[in-house]
Amino acid sequence: MADQTINVLERAGTVMTVSELILKKRNGYPLTCSDIEHLIAGYVKGTIPDYQMSALAMAIYFRGMNEEETAHLTRAMVNSGDTISLMDIPGIKTDKHSTGGVGDTTTLIVVPLVAAAGVPVAKLSGRGLGHTGGTLDKLESIPGFCAELTLNEFKTAVKKIGAAVTGQTIEMVPADKMLYALRDVTATVDSMPLIASSIMSKKLAAGADVIVLDVKVGDGAFIKDHSSAFELARIMVETGKKGGRQTAAVITNMDQPLGRAVGNALEVEEAVLTLRGEGPPDLEELCLTLGGWMLSLAGKASEHEEGKAILKKLLDNGSALLKFRELIQNQSGDPLVVEDLSLMPRAEKQVPVKSKAEGFVSSLKAEVIGQAAMKLGAGREKKDLRIDPVVGVTVEKKIGTMVKPGDILAHIHTSPEKEPARNTGIEDHERINDVQNMILSAYEFQNEPFEVPPLIIGCIK
Amino acid sequence: MADQTINVLERAGTVMTVSELILKKRNGYPLTCSDIEHLIAGYVKGTIPDYQMSALAMAIYFRGMNEEETAHLTRAMVNSGDTISLMDIPGIKTDKHSTGGVGDTTTLIVVPLVAAAGVPVAKLSGRGLGHTGGTLDKLESIPGFCAELTLNEFKTAVKKIGAAVTGQTIEMVPADKMLYALRDVTATVDSMPLIASSIMSKKLAAGADVIVLDVKVGDGAFIKDHSSAFELARIMVETGKKGGRQTAAVITNMDQPLGRAVGNALEVEEAVLTLRGEGPPDLEELCLTLGGWMLSLAGKASEHEEGKAILKKLLDNGSALLKFRELIQNQSGDPLVVEDLSLMPRAEKQVPVKSKAEGFVSSLKAEVIGQAAMKLGAGREKKDLRIDPVVGVTVEKKIGTMVKPGDILAHIHTSPEKEPARNTGIEDHERINDVQNMILSAYEFQNEPFEVPPLIIGCIK
């Protein structure tokens, strides 16, 4: 049944209809730069309807896109809206992005850490759906903190203290918002080139010269296998480079939660501890690695190991913590929290979850811990739900640790429901009981000690 | 990236969202009967939007559907609208369907032929887009003929004389209309299960007990290769059987036009000649074969060869022609046309197309001849264009024939443009010149004689 294929070949060189462009992709031919520009511009204008775009997305799911196509798609999406120019800020501006995991507190640490090295960090963050709030929700648990800067305030902050974190206030990449909403209801989310162009279009539009990506893989990430993670990392790095940015990706393990804290205020406390040099070793290691790459790509270090060493000193001598204090103060938050964590809001109850088993922790399912935190109110199940900043889970025993019956595996941080928006009709003790069982179900044990898989799986530059 | 897959498996047994059903198909799992009923009912009601249906259609294009799924889809489409019951008409009612070709005059011959054998034929036909009009347009070139019967008139006609041909007057298979319009603009037309369910839903809704399908393959058909044709035939026959109907398919060659005439009134004349036993041998052979299968499935013959023999006698003794006369008269047409073809409307000019080459005709591209007829006004390029009943092409030399320079290959039947609707601004002589060149380009020659490929390629029961 080659009729439609032949039409496409016959029409090569002439302007194709949208239907013919879908057919071209469906039949495995690459789309050209002008094909893609036409499709994205038409979709944003409303001249190309959702039903053609969703058919195209499904064809892309099956046929993929090569590096050129992915770069064209990314650029077309960037061009669909406003972009930020950071040209008037001196220095090489850096940005980081995580594909998302459970207890991912890295932004709160990496931003001040890298800025402390004299490398400007201009970070746009989101709120997002998920087990905990986004970086903005976490920062807003600091009393007074303003995470909604105007574009001008944002740029002024980066100029002044070398670091700022804010939500998006201009209309960046509307094509991505439209396309993502469509993909979400048409089973076309998990396509590598579509994921890569979605992430990279927002990074390119945000204007930084250096982009370091943290590609999470494992139980608590949306990518479950290493080869997919390396593939996505490779595509994103190529797309960033084709967009004229210094880009690298670190592929990291997300089988268990990162660090100990899963919850908004809890993660801010953990970030402060890490910036004091008292944080969980895995979280510190990842922050130094990501920051090391940022320094290296920005030319502040010859390679990322040297960057890590520079940053380690800034952790040890308190400069990074001081920069976080400065950032909080500059965005109207209470800077004293970095010295006195009791100024942070806290949950009313801490309930220990004790082990019934004995052995070495062989598995600690990040996904389940994330769901437990969400059940406590740390994340949003739906867009319009409020999060409770103080609730969450702190993990006390991570993979590889020896545990005896009665040992505390984790703490549940909970408050009785107050918000009508979160009123689920579930009694507090019932919820605590459910969450305890969830946490227990996340743990598996084995009798023999074993080598814990590495956190940093690989890097792509 | 197996996250979405896992969700589907986890949710097995519960009611799935549309997005999950798309995902299920995308990931290669078969849809259940209730999945498909839910999708089609929701689509027709408007609760499932076009953008989900087009993504699903693209997933079906890539993943296919098994026989069960195709049968479920077909039944769900039938259930989306009104259906015809022929229960109150005595006997086993028969129907035929052609997947469409160039110069396909078979319905005009098969309907009276089979009815002459005492087997009722209840035929719904269309107008359709294409090189010539549909069967209804052809019949309407007979002075006075009414091709728009009410359902009651249609059934009364079949009861009274055993044969009727009409357009669709009730709302049959609205799901197919909606889905086809969507597939047409989303590059999802050429999917075997979607084609099969589209055709078979209309046949099942039309109520006949016996369905014989003519699956065309070759240059002038939408299916270009034999294996696709056999596959489509097999799927349609299975779908018909699962719908409780006696079903068979004949796979036939459409590399060159069937018979000689391509045009509306021209094909009626050719049908009359064939019913007189004076028609082109290929057209007669195909009509006897299709009719033979109809008789056999209706139990009037032990197998289709016996059915063919019965019908050949009815051709030879004039019964079939008489039945056509009766059909025309019963639908208000001038019955005298079957005796005097000069009563049919005719084009003003017949222009011969002469060969410049010498040799045996090795190729006579049906598609190009069809386009030539369309250019003369025999078919509709767009839905709202009127057709000119008298124009067209008659082919004088078919594949395998020895031709010398100056021999007439074909005749162009043309009339100066009168209809404002067809006013193309092209002078008559220019159009004739173009059409002559098109016809010449359809012909290829070779020096040595060769065996002409058979018209009837195979049968599936």
Side-chain angles (χ1 to χ4, degrees), chain B residues 254-271:
Chain B
M254 190 26 82
D255 278 331
Q256 63 180 339
L258 184 65
R260 294 172 53 236
V262 183
N264 297 281
L266 293 170
E267 291 186 45
V268 171
E269 290 197 31
E270 185 169 69

Side-chain angles (χ1 to χ4, degrees), chain A residues 50-62:
Chain A
D50 282 335
Y51 56 79
Q52 290 189 313
M53 215 59 188
S54 62
L56 178 68
M58 188 60 85
I60 291 171
Y61 172 82
F62 280 100

Side-chain angles (χ1 to χ4, degrees), chain A residues 1-4 19 22-23 26-27 50-52 54-55 58-59 61-63 182 184-190 192 195 222-225 228, chain B residues 1-4 19 22-23 26-27 50-52 54-55 58-59 61-63 182 184-190 192 195 222-225 228:
Chain A
M1 303 188 68
D3 52 328
Q4 293 194 332
S19 173
I22 302 170
L23 186 63
R26 192 203 74 180
N27 288 348
D50 282 335
Y51 56 79
Q52 290 189 313
S54 62
M58 188 60 85
Y61 172 82
F62 280 100
R63 293 297 194 179
L182 184 65
D184 197 36
V185 292
T186 56
T188 47
V189 166
D190 51 351
M192 289 290 177
I195 293 169
F222 76 90
I223 301 179
K224 309 293 181 195
D225 66 286
S228 295
Chain B
M1 304 188 68
D3 53 327
Q4 293 194 334
S19 173
I22 302 169
L23 185 64
R26 193 202 74 179
N27 288 347
D50 281 335
Y51 57 79
Q52 290 189 312
S54 63
M58 187 60 85
Y61 172 83
F62 280 100
R63 293 296 194 178
L182 184 66
D184 196 34
V185 292
T186 56
T188 47
V189 166
D190 51 350
M192 289 289 176
I195 293 169
F222 76 91
I223 301 179
K224 308 294 181 194
D225 65 288
S228 295

Side-chain angles (χ1 to χ4, degrees), chain B residues 11 91 97 109 166 171 181 281 294 349 353 381:
Chain B
R11 293 195 49 143
H97 180 82
I109 301 156
T166 184
E171 230 228 330
M294 288 162 82
K349 284 190 213 171
V353 181
E381 277 183 278

